[in-house]
Structures are given as C-alpha cells and as structure tokens.
Amino acid sequence: MKRFFLFWTLLLLPVLALHAQDTLTVMQYNLLEYGNYQSGFAECYETNNNTQRKDECIRTLMDYVKPDILTVCEFGATQALLDGFLRHNLNINGADYWKSDNIINYAHSNIINHIFYDSRKMELKKHVALRTNPRDTDVYELYMKTPSLQSGDTIKLICIVAHPKAGMNYQAERRALMQVAMDYVNAHYPNDNALIMGDFNMYKSSETGYQLLTRTYSNPSICFVDPLAGVGGVGNWNSNPQFAPFHTQSTRRYSDECFSSGGLDDRFDFILMSDEVYMGFNRIRYINNSYHAVGNDGRHFDMSVDQNGNDVVPPVVAEALYDGSDHLPVTMKMLVFAHLEVEEHACGGFTVYPNPASNQLEVSVNGTYRISNLLGQTVLSGRDSRRIDVSGLPAGFYYLSIEGVTRKFIKN
C-alpha cells in the first residue's frame, strides 16, 4: 500500500508544485438529536442534551479540525436551528463565509442530514433530497471556486449524506436506502468526484448495504472506495477490539437515556469516495492516510473517549467529544488541482478497449505497463505489447498504467 502511494506521489510531484490550488478538509458528524427534544428513538431533552453546551463543543471541534465542508446527521429539522447553527458556531469571530442550503424534508422527519461549506472555496449548485426511509438522503453538487471557473473550468464535487435505520435487524432497510443512492449516482454522476458519508449504522462489512456501496452494484465502475480497506479497517466492527482504532461510537462508557453507553465499540460513521477522488482522475485527489476518527487513539475500546486521558487530541477536545455527541466525527483531506494541465497530464495518452474486457485489452504499449487492483497491488505487468492478456484476472475493477498515465477498466 505504501509503495503504491509513493508511486503516485512521485508521479504527480511536479504537477502539485506548480498547480495545487488548495487542500479541502471534510468532516462528517452525527450531532445526536441536535435541538430536537421531541420523543423519538432516544430520550433527549434540554437537561441531558443541552444545545448551548453542544454548541460550545462544536466550536471547539471546528477550531481543532478546521474543516471546509461539514456534513451532519441528526440535525433538528427547523430553519431556526439551521440559522442559529450558522450564527453561533460557524460565522463567528469575524467569519461570514459559511453557508448552507434550505431544508428539504420529504420524509417529515424530526431529524435531518445537512451540509455547511466555506463559500470562499466552493459554491453549491444543486441540492436534491432522495426519498428514502426513514429519512431523506441528501445529494449536494458543489463547484470549486478556482481562478478559471468563470471561463468554464469547473471542478465538481458531489457530497451524498445518508442516515439509514439503526438496529441489528434492519440490514435490508439499509441496503434499500443505499440502492436508491447508488441508482442516483449511476444515473447522474457516474464519472464525477463523489463522496458518500453519514452514520450508516452498519455493524460489519459483510452487510449487503456496505457490499452494494463498495463491490456488488450492477455498474461496478461507480462503486465507492473505503479509505480504511487497505489498512485493516474492514471486517466485523461490532464489539471487536481488533477494530478499536476505527470505532466511532459510543463516546461514553456510562450514560443517561440520551447518549448511547458502552464506550467505543462500533464503526457507524463513514466517508467513502469514488475512485475518481481516490485516484485523482478529475483534479480532486484523496490525501493518503488523512482519514481518521477524531479522538480515536486506539486504546479506548469499551471506554469513554476521555477516560484516563487521550493520546491524540488535547483534553479540551476530548471533553468536547464526550459532551457533544455519542459519535466521533470522521475527517479526511483532499487536494484540489486548479488547472486543466493536470487533467491532461493524468488522462491523456491511450484508450482502453474493450471496456469491460473479457480476455484481452487492445492497447499498443511501447514501454512498460502495470495493472493494479483497488488496493494498489500490482497484479500484472510487462512491456512492449499490442495486446494485454487479462483472461487470468478475477472479475473486478482495475487500473492500467502505461508510462505514467492511468486508465480504469472492468474485467468481466
């Protein structure tokens, strides 16, 4: 895995030095019934889930993480809360650039998903709410504000925020929600930079909803990449100490009727990315090893996040994580390339045919070539050929690299 990313770093190093426009930090956070005191799954009230105290915690976390995009789940579904959140937590200390969008709530849920973004760096073109159960799934189409945007040089980023039903017995419902989201991506954004994030309430990677997102959708070229797949983060997450470095729920060992108890023992919160983001095909590229759960130091399995100190965040941040929600936020970073030269550098050169391929790729190679899988592992290599025999590869999704240029293809 490290060798694979070293290869890409060396390949793009001259381009980054000349044309890197910005780094984007994304944070996804389940806010635990923010401002919602109506009866629901959890008994959360002003006394045990105080909004003013939560705001203090959110301001601490925003100052620590400094995200450019904040997506949230379990946000109270009123415009007054939305306006207040911007006013009290984001547009403070002279800042006036944080924006959001109006609420769409077809499901008439007490809690919704939402997005907040730095309008100095991006603008929101479209917000679509997909009618899913028990809450809408929200799709946000963002454009990066690059110097050449006015001339039509657009860099697009799609953020999909989902919060399927919780509980061991609702795998089918979670899969149904993900099916709607994947169908929408396939119809509207099959080749775009896309993230899907949220509190997925999934207990293990064998769940059909997770498999649909990452492996089994009918068009495998749009399947999402889990950034933890290559570092041991995929498996049976529930109450399993093997996955202690990746758990995001719960922040408390003992709790009241609102916050979940038991300590950190589930990986419910995710940011998954399209291969376009993972590999940087469309001028937005994931920064290797930048994905993590804020405050998870790997030694708080079945413990409160601040119990006996925390090795990766300051005490004030650990306290904010404990008091702010029963979930840890997850974050990742991406590089944005502002100039068309990057796209030409990364995408020029050759065409893969046929795609999908069954037995052979009709590609003329003068030099060396390499075929790698989604984890960056080389599965086939050679040089100087008019055809590449791929009949021995298992069915799946691959990358073909020839002299520093990469194309994706599907093996039937």
Side-chain angles (χ1 to χ4, degrees), residues 232-279:
V234 172
N236 185 352
W237 302 299
N238 176 244
S239 298
N240 187 342
Q242 176 185 342
F243 297 99
F246 313 114
H247 288 149
T248 63
Q249 206 228 19
S250 132
T251 60
R252 299 185 177 194
R253 180 72 180 93
Y254 302 102
S255 186
D256 49 28
E257 294 178 320
C258 179
F259 285 65
S260 296
S261 60
L264 289 168
D265 59 4
D266 276 300
R267 184 193 176 196
F268 283 167
D269 304 271
F270 293 81
I271 306 174
L272 307 183
M273 66 195 78
S274 66
D275 68 291
E276 283 79 10
V277 173
Y278 188 60
M279 297 295 291

Side-chain angles (χ1 to χ4, degrees), residues 46 62 129 135 153 158 250 300 317:
E46 184 69 26
M62 291 295 293
R135 290 163 284 272
D153 177 19
I158 313 304
S250 132
H300 282 82
V317 175

Side-chain angles (χ1 to χ4, degrees), residues 155-192:
I155 304 176
K156 191 189 315 181
L157 176 65
I158 313 304
C159 292
I160 305 161
V161 192
H163 187 196
K165 194 170 181 63
M168 288 280 194
N169 298 324
Y170 293 100
Q171 290 191 38
E173 286 81 355
R174 290 192 283 272
R175 187 193 187 283
L177 182 146
M178 296 305 176
Q179 181 75 49
V180 173
M182 293 296 280
D183 288 345
Y184 191 84
V185 172
N186 191 42
H188 298 277
Y189 304 113
N191 300 302
D192 287 298

Side-chain angles (χ1 to χ4, degrees), residues 7 27 80 108 122 134-135 187 201-202 222 226 232 244 279-280 285 310 315 365 391 394 406 408:
F7 168 81
M27 182 164 81
H108 303 292
M122 67 206 80
R135 290 163 284 272
N201 282 311
M202 294 178 181
I222 72 159
D226 186 340
M279 297 295 291
R285 180 168 64 86
N310 189 292
V365 183
S391 60
T406 299
K408 58 182 176 180

Side-chain angles (χ1 to χ4, degrees), residues 23-313:
T23 300
L24 289 182
T25 299
V26 181
M27 182 164 81
Q28 158 62 34
Y29 196 15
N30 182 321
L31 295 178
L32 180 60
E33 302 282 343
Y34 180 86
N36 177 47
Y37 303 130
Q38 302 180 56
S39 179
F41 177 77
E43 297 301 319
C44 299
Y45 308 106
E46 184 69 26
T47 52
N48 62 6
N49 196 35
N50 182 270
T51 303
Q52 286 70 39
R53 173 55 185 151
K54 291 171 80 73
D55 285 345
E56 294 174 2
C57 298
I58 290 163
R59 289 193 292 269
T60 296
L61 292 171
M62 291 295 293
D63 184 61
Y64 179 74
V65 176
K66 294 179 171 58
D68 303 293
I69 299 173
L70 169 65
T71 59
V72 299
C73 299
E74 296 202 19
F75 194 94
T78 71
Q79 191 65 40
L81 276 173
L82 184 62
D83 295 340
F85 190 90
L86 281 165
R87 186 170 58 253
H88 297 307
N89 299 320
L90 302 178
N91 286 325
I92 58 175
N93 300 323
D96 61 356
Y97 45 80
W98 280 95
K99 292 186 178 180
S100 61
D101 192 44
N102 291 330
I103 291 171
I104 304 176
N105 188 10
Y106 295 130
H108 303 292
S109 174
N110 292 336
I111 51 174
I112 59 169
N113 312 311
H114 210 66
I115 193 170
F116 304 90
Y117 62 94
D118 183 340
S119 66
R120 298 172 301 175
K121 296 185 177 183
M122 67 206 80
E123 61 183 40
L124 179 65
K125 180 181 179 182
K126 185 188 298 184
H127 173 198
V128 174
L130 307 179
R131 300 188 185 221
T132 52
N133 182 54
R135 290 163 284 272
D136 299 340
T137 296
D138 293 271
V139 182
Y140 301 93
E141 184 176 321
L142 297 160
Y143 280 83
M144 302 301 109
K145 287 186 174 178
T146 63
S148 52
L149 178 62
Q150 297 304 315
S151 62
D153 177 19
T154 57
I155 304 176
K156 191 189 315 181
L157 176 65
I158 313 304
C159 292
I160 305 161
V161 192
H163 187 196
K165 194 170 181 63
M168 288 280 194
N169 298 324
Y170 293 100
Q171 290 191 38
E173 286 81 355
R174 290 192 283 272
R175 187 193 187 283
L177 182 146
M178 296 305 176
Q179 181 75 49
V180 173
M182 293 296 280
D183 288 345
Y184 191 84
V185 172
N186 191 42
H188 298 277
Y189 304 113
N191 300 302
D192 287 298
N193 301 311
L195 307 175
I196 186 166
M197 61 262 277
D199 173 8
F200 291 174
N201 282 311
M202 294 178 181
Y203 294 89
K204 51 190 176 182
S205 60
S206 60
E207 278 205 25
T208 56
Y210 180 89
Q211 289 294 307
L212 185 75
L213 285 172
T214 59
R215 292 175 58 90
T216 63
Y217 185 71
S218 57
N219 178 5
S221 70
I222 72 159
C223 285
F224 287 86
V225 178
D226 186 340
L228 296 185
V231 293
V234 172
N236 185 352
W237 302 299
N238 176 244
S239 298
N240 187 342
Q242 176 185 342
F243 297 99
F246 313 114
H247 288 149
T248 63
Q249 206 228 19
S250 132
T251 60
R252 299 185 177 194
R253 180 72 180 93
Y254 302 102
S255 186
D256 49 28
E257 294 178 320
C258 179
F259 285 65
S260 296
S261 60
L264 289 168
D265 59 4
D266 276 300
R267 184 193 176 196
F268 283 167
D269 304 271
F270 293 81
I271 306 174
L272 307 183
M273 66 195 78
S274 66
D275 68 291
E276 283 79 10
V277 173
Y278 188 60
M279 297 295 291
F281 288 130
N282 292 336
R283 293 185 288 159
I284 294 179
R285 180 168 64 86
Y286 169 66
I287 297 177
N288 186 31
N289 295 326
S290 67
Y291 183 100
H292 67 282
V294 180
N296 188 331
D297 60 3
R299 66 175 190 86
H300 282 82
F301 176 73
D302 278 352
M303 297 168 62
S304 299
V305 68
D306 62 346
Q307 190 171 337
N308 301 324
N310 189 292
D311 291 341
V312 294
V313 296

